[in-house]
Amino acid sequence: SNVMVISESLAEEAGLTVGDTLTLPSADGTTDFTVVGRITSRSLPGVEEVYVPLAAAQSLFDQPGLVNTMEAVYRPEADRAVVEAAVQSRLGDGFKLGQLEAGTALLANMQVATIAINLFGVMALVMGGFIIFNTFRTVVAERRHDIGLLRSVGAARRTILALILTESVLQGVIGTAVGIVAGYLLILGFLGLLGSLYEQFLHFSIGGPVLRWPIFAAAIALGVGVTIVGAIAPALAASRVTPLEALRPATSEGYRRAAGRSGLVGVVLVILAMATLASGNAGLVTLGGVLFVLGLVLVAPALIDPIARLFGRLLVIAFAREGQIAQGNLVRQPGRAAVTASAMMVGLAILVAMVGVMTSITDGFLGYLDRSLGADYLFMPTSIILAGGNAGAGPELAAAIGTTSGIEAVTTLRLATTETGGKALQLVGIDPATYPAVSGLVFTAGDEATIYDGLAGGRAIVVNGIFAAQNQVKVGETLPLQTPEGVREYEVVGVGMDYLNAKLATAYVSQANLAQDFHQTADLLLMANRAAGADGQQVGAALTKVAAGYPAFTLFDSSSWRATQEEIFTQALVVFHMMLVFLAAPSLIALVNTLVINVLERTREIGMMRAVGATRRQVQRLILAESLLLAATGTAFGILAGLWLSYTLTSAMTAAGFPLPYYFPYVGILFTIAVGLLFGVLASLLPARQAAKLDIVTALRYE
């Protein structure tokens, strides 16, 4: 009876052959099986399949006489729809017809990771668009005289437009090619960092990068497309300039009027962004964050003058003469300064926002851990995800723990799956009497003082935030659940969540209802508290002996378990901070770009300064002062936008079913200020050196 067929991969990994014995965890502790065959089969990554007789499986999981899956094959001449209707009629509503659903927990984690990666990608594209726009805008301004000459000798507007757009296509192609190569190298780096995590928690190795043609098509379309989009506005502006306007020196009056109009639009967008917070809708709250950033971008040109004067006064303390000149140069070119500050704002805002969000997520989820898994001792299954193929234990394990000297209270978690309204739902069974004494859920709706009594009193259910948000479920509503006994109605008495099941649509019912309606009695996770005054070392040693008989579980004390989870967050933050560096780096490029063009445009002016006695060191200090002034302006906008974004994203996650406390990102602000000032110094090195090396005679002849 206790025989099995194993996969080739498991046989190779464990060194098994036909006739060997493999011991599996079971509800009674362990069960020995004899290997009688090998097949080439493997299910999800990191999960091995073994095949045993049905009776052995029922004994293994303490499900005597029960089945949870039946497979059938149609006859060749059968009508699929007719057969399905007949089978469903015979079986009743307690069974669902369809394909097997596997890997729900893994897919949920992958979806969360995909959303995070896509968010970084959108931010990177927005920042790249700002830099490209700034580049072409300054290039058009620098070539204003040349454009006027072309127009005066007969060049049509579409010729000017085509000229600039052609340049954008060429730059987009070159940049995309370099980006694809750099992206491939980044993939290799990230896979190297994530490999150990996958080995540790999913038990499989990551191969090399898998790149298909849609990935390259998307990269090319986005790379070239964003470059063209960033160049369209400067190209249109250049094509609309008349020959006389282009040959005449530019005035600032037109710019001030345009800045005033854009500033009013920006103020309206900021007000709308603030209003979205009251909606409580995750989509609207996220849209509000985007509107706030766009509003600041539009308001920036109107604020450049007062901000430049404010920081200019501070700059004069360190650079007495150069600071005044730098302030004048910034005010004289407010459009370019505003675009550069906006590009820096986006990059630095991401720093503040992401640090704030990650701090909120880390502290929030560790708070969930302390509340729902804060017991003194944890008997954890092999997979941290309860539905990850774990073998539960019978009541003997909980009884053995409860009778251990020095243990005050024990509680367990059990698991079942169901469906309501066509949506899959994971059910966690808790004991309403012992669970709140040892652990507890974090509630966002319902009266915590009466919720556990409600669970003990009838068919009551607590849903977690993600299920409530996705299905608009509220306290007091009734959910029809599919059970092996047919449809059963459960009343929602609260919305709450625990640490392990935050990312999956999960609900909590009493273990009595789970046994009655779903026939699930195996314990998948056990928690125990030590009695006051008990010796921790002695209790731990006694529990270790108990755990030895149940290899499906690992014994942790609360401090060591929390440490392992903090290590996971720390490793994830390493990858996260690397991504932040890549997102912030373009801000430095934008700043260098602006300063280099400033030096080119003011070549003759710098030559005159040198001719009347300015030293090379003074010219370098001038460029440094201007760079610091631009960096300070961008940093101020970035901190303001980042604070709002971090609060918005945290609010959006709360609205989406992940209630998180908002933590003010002090570290993020200090780090952003340091990065902003560092960028200001680094960005000035090349332009300052270039300006200081200008030959006086050559500079005076420059046109």
Side-chain angles (χ1 to χ4, degrees), residues 175-306:
T176 300
V178 175
I180 289 175
V181 174
Y184 183 81
L185 296 177
L186 283 177
I187 293 173
L188 293 177
F190 282 133
L191 289 180
L193 288 173
L194 295 174
S196 60
L197 290 176
Y198 276 75
E199 288 277 3
Q200 182 178 357
F201 296 105
L202 295 178
H203 311 297
F204 75 95
S205 301
I206 301 178
V210 178
L211 299 177
R212 299 183 176 90
W213 69 265
I215 298 176
F216 290 101
I220 294 171
L222 289 173
V224 178
V226 170
T227 306
I228 294 174
V229 170
I232 285 177
L236 289 174
S239 67
R240 287 195 294 264
V241 176
T242 64
L244 189 59
E245 287 177 326
L247 295 173
R248 181 187 302 150
T251 62
S252 60
E253 283 302 319
Y255 172 80
R256 289 195 179 94
R257 288 193 296 269
R261 290 192 296 268
S262 69
L264 289 176
V265 176
V267 170
V268 172
L269 291 180
V270 169
I271 294 173
L272 289 175
M274 294 180 177
T276 59
L277 284 179
S279 68
N281 181 278
L284 287 177
V285 171
T286 304
L287 176 62
V290 177
L291 291 178
F292 188 85
V293 175
L294 291 177
L296 283 184
V297 171
L298 294 174
V299 170
L303 298 179
I304 283 295
D305 194 352

Side-chain angles (χ1 to χ4, degrees), residues 33-298:
F33 286 83
T34 301
V35 178
V36 295
R38 290 162 58 167
I39 57 174
T40 55
S41 171
R42 186 164 186 168
S43 183
L44 293 173
V47 179
E48 296 287 357
E49 281 188 348
V50 297
Y51 295 86
V52 300
L54 179 61
Q58 292 168 334
S59 175
L60 197 72
F61 291 99
D62 194 21
Q63 299 280 291
L66 298 178
V67 296
N68 55 16
T69 302
M70 294 177 285
E71 297 184 8
V73 179
Y74 294 96
R75 292 177 179 171
E77 72 278 5
D79 185 306
R80 185 185 182 98
V82 173
V83 175
E84 285 188 355
V87 171
Q88 189 72 70
S89 175
R90 292 284 299 274
L91 293 179
D93 295 335
F95 292 83
K96 174 187 177 182
L97 268 65
Q99 296 180 343
L100 290 175
E101 297 178 356
T104 305
L106 178 62
L107 292 176
N109 288 329
M110 292 177 67
Q111 288 171 355
V112 172
T114 301
I115 291 172
I117 295 296
N118 288 339
L119 176 62
F120 278 105
V122 170
M123 293 294 187
L125 286 174
V126 170
M127 192 182 310
F130 269 117
I131 294 174
I132 293 165
F133 172 74
N134 184 34
T135 300
F136 279 96
R137 191 177 185 279
T138 50
V139 165
V140 168
E142 181 189 359
R143 292 159 56 185
R144 181 184 177 91
H145 189 76
D146 295 339
I147 293 172
L149 289 175
L150 288 173
R151 294 281 285 120
S152 65
V153 297
R157 290 186 174 181
R158 62 176 177 272
T159 303
I160 303 299
L161 180 64
L163 174 66
I164 297 175
L165 291 181
T166 301
E167 292 181 10
S168 72
V169 172
L170 291 174
Q171 292 194 23
V173 169
I174 296 172
T176 300
V178 175
I180 289 175
V181 174
Y184 183 81
L185 296 177
L186 283 177
I187 293 173
L188 293 177
F190 282 133
L191 289 180
L193 288 173
L194 295 174
S196 60
L197 290 176
Y198 276 75
E199 288 277 3
Q200 182 178 357
F201 296 105
L202 295 178
H203 311 297
F204 75 95
S205 301
I206 301 178
V210 178
L211 299 177
R212 299 183 176 90
W213 69 265
I215 298 176
F216 290 101
I220 294 171
L222 289 173
V224 178
V226 170
T227 306
I228 294 174
V229 170
I232 285 177
L236 289 174
S239 67
R240 287 195 294 264
V241 176
T242 64
L244 189 59
E245 287 177 326
L247 295 173
R248 181 187 302 150
T251 62
S252 60
E253 283 302 319
Y255 172 80
R256 289 195 179 94
R257 288 193 296 269
R261 290 192 296 268
S262 69
L264 289 176
V265 176
V267 170
V268 172
L269 291 180
V270 169
I271 294 173
L272 289 175
M274 294 180 177
T276 59
L277 284 179
S279 68
N281 181 278
L284 287 177
V285 171
T286 304
L287 176 62
V290 177
L291 291 178
F292 188 85
V293 175
L294 291 177
L296 283 184
V297 171
L298 294 174

Side-chain angles (χ1 to χ4, degrees), residues 586-665:
S587 300
L588 176 60
I589 298 173
L591 190 55
V592 173
N593 183 37
T594 298
L595 292 174
V596 168
I597 294 175
N598 279 353
V599 170
L600 289 175
E601 285 189 340
R602 288 156 47 202
T603 297
R604 188 169 183 175
E605 177 185 329
I606 294 172
M608 292 181 65
M609 292 174 60
R610 294 278 286 117
V612 297
T615 64
R616 294 181 186 271
R617 182 175 178 80
Q618 287 176 324
V619 171
Q620 290 177 328
R621 286 166 58 88
L622 170 63
I623 303 300
L624 174 60
E626 190 169 336
S627 178
L628 288 174
L629 196 53
L630 275 171
T633 304
T635 302
F637 280 115
I639 291 174
L640 181 60
L643 288 174
W644 182 264
L645 273 179
S646 64
Y647 184 77
T648 298
L649 292 174
T650 304
S651 301
M653 293 186 69
T654 299
F658 297 95
L660 295 173
Y662 176 68
Y663 288 89
F664 191 82

Side-chain angles (χ1 to χ4, degrees), residues 2-7 11 14-23 32-39:
N2 286 355
V3 295
M4 67 165 50
V5 174
I6 64 175
S7 65
L16 296 172
T17 187
V18 173
D20 289 346
T21 298
L22 180 63
T23 301
D32 292 334
F33 286 83
T34 301
V35 178
V36 295
R38 290 162 58 167
I39 57 174

